[in-house]
Every structure is written in C-alpha cells, then in structure tokens.
Amino acid sequence: RLGTFPIGIDAAAFAADSPEIDVELAALRKNTAGRRLILGIDRLDYTKGILRRLPAFERLLEGDQTLHERVQLLQIAVPSRETIDSYADLRKEANELVGRINAAHGTPTSVPVHFLYRSVPFDQLVALYRAADIMLVTPIRDGMNLVAKEYCAARTDGGGVLVLSEFAGAADELREALIVNPYDLDAVERTIGAALQMPEEERRLRMERLHA
C-alpha cells in the first residue's frame, strides 16, 4: 500500500502563549520602531533560495525609495554543514549580498537587511513569527518546509502574510499563501510588494484559513 502523509508540526506548541514569548515580542516590536518586518528563517543551504531572495528584496528597494526606512528584512541563517567548503562559500556570498544592499540603501538611522548566522531559541522563534508582517519561505527545492507551517500555527492573531515557493511541498497544503517561483526575481519582488499593500481584511482571511 502506498500513501502520502505530509509531515506536520506540534501546532499547539506554536500557538501557545507564555510570558517569555510576550517579552521577546515586545522587544522586537520596540526595535522595529514602526517598520514592517519581513522575515526569513532557513538553514544556510543552497536549496533554501537565500541568494535569490536577497536580490529580489534589493529590486524592491530600488523600485521604491520610500521603503528604505519603512521595511526591514531579517534573515536568520541557521548554521549547516560548516566543515564543507561550498557552504562556507555560500555564507560568504550571502554576507557580500547583504553588505551591498545595506551600503546602497541604508540610512544613518537604519539598514534594510539584518543577517544573523545562528539558531534561535524556541520562545524567540515564536515571537519572531508573531512580529513578522511577511514571512518569506522561498526555497528552490524543498520536500516540505516546516517553517511555513510553524509561521501559520504561531499566527493566532490572524495577522501576517506568507510568501511561499511553489517548489516547497508545503505549497500543496498552504494554498492561501502567496505562491511564487523563486527563480523569477521580478515576480518575487512584485509579490513582496503586494504583501506589503494587502488590505487587512484579505490578510486576516488568508491567515485564518492557513492557521486552520
């Protein structure tokens, strides 16, 4: 017998509240200071599409100068296979991309991209999901991708927009996400722009269905 059983997550754990999560969330909202937070959380792996996501965000900033102090991309790259040269090269290239974007589009008071090469504890992870106005999950190939599911499970407030690669297995289930082809940088740029401008009613309707 052959069946398809998509892997899931502990949804209740991501939906739960705790004082620790509340503290982390309050700190994040204070630090973003009114800017819209775009979040990416991935293993630092060539399949995750980080090197395509950053240029797409760069194009967004180039097309709308008013966004420079109104949006911020936080990309967390969880260390992976650090002893392999190609992964070290990937980290170097990502750092160079971030440096180029910040040099071109930063201001005296802010930089558009924060790149963190580390893992995050659970309470902070949930707070990040709840603080993020947009979640970018844009792998060039992924069997499932649980980050997309975790984000939806954490959004008990009905807020946030999920931008999801059509090449992630999760796209077959999370159909209310904004589905993109990560190879099409113009399409990813337009989709992030659409997510930023999405009316609140549509955001809530999509996320409520994703959360369910």
Side-chain angles (χ1 to χ4, degrees), residues 44 80-93:
L44 188 63
S80 177
R81 300 179 173 93
E82 294 178 274
T83 59
I84 300 176
D85 290 344
S86 59
Y87 283 78
D89 292 341
L90 177 63
R91 181 184 179 188
K92 180 175 181 289
E93 192 171 349

Side-chain angles (χ1 to χ4, degrees), residues 5-156:
F5 306 100
I7 192 171
I9 61 168
D10 184 352
F14 285 92
D17 293 316
S18 75
E20 293 78 13
I21 293 173
D22 291 341
V23 169
E24 293 282 358
L25 183 56
L28 284 167
R29 287 176 172 162
K30 181 179 179 181
N31 289 335
T32 52
R35 290 190 295 272
R36 307 289 293 281
L37 178 62
I38 303 172
L39 179 64
I41 300 178
D42 310 86
R43 283 188 304 106
L44 188 63
D45 189 284
Y46 64 92
T47 64
K48 299 300 183 180
I50 295 172
L51 297 185
R52 306 198 69 80
R53 183 182 310 163
L54 290 169
F57 181 66
E58 182 179 29
R59 292 188 185 193
L60 183 74
L61 297 176
E62 290 171 347
D64 188 348
Q65 301 290 319
T66 67
L67 291 176
H68 291 190
E69 292 204 16
R70 294 196 293 119
V71 299
Q72 183 179 87
L73 170 61
L74 172 58
Q75 176 64 57
I76 295 175
V78 178
S80 177
R81 300 179 173 93
E82 294 178 274
T83 59
I84 300 176
D85 290 344
S86 59
Y87 283 78
D89 292 341
L90 177 63
R91 181 184 179 188
K92 180 175 181 289
E93 192 171 349
N95 279 321
E96 289 172 351
L97 266 173
V98 171
R100 184 183 79 196
I101 295 168
N102 286 340
H105 303 291
T107 72
T109 56
S110 68
V111 293
V113 182
H114 283 280
F115 184 80
L116 301 181
Y117 182 65
R118 62 179 178 85
S119 58
V120 294
F122 182 79
D123 292 336
Q124 189 177 72
L125 177 65
V126 175
L128 283 165
Y129 287 149
R130 293 180 183 177
D133 298 286
I134 300 170
M135 185 81 211
L136 298 183
V137 182
T138 56
I140 59 175
R141 182 65 64 188
D142 219 336
M144 177 53 66
N145 193 290
L146 298 183
V147 166
K149 294 187 175 186
E150 291 170 0
Y151 178 66
C152 298
R155 295 312 299 247
T156 54

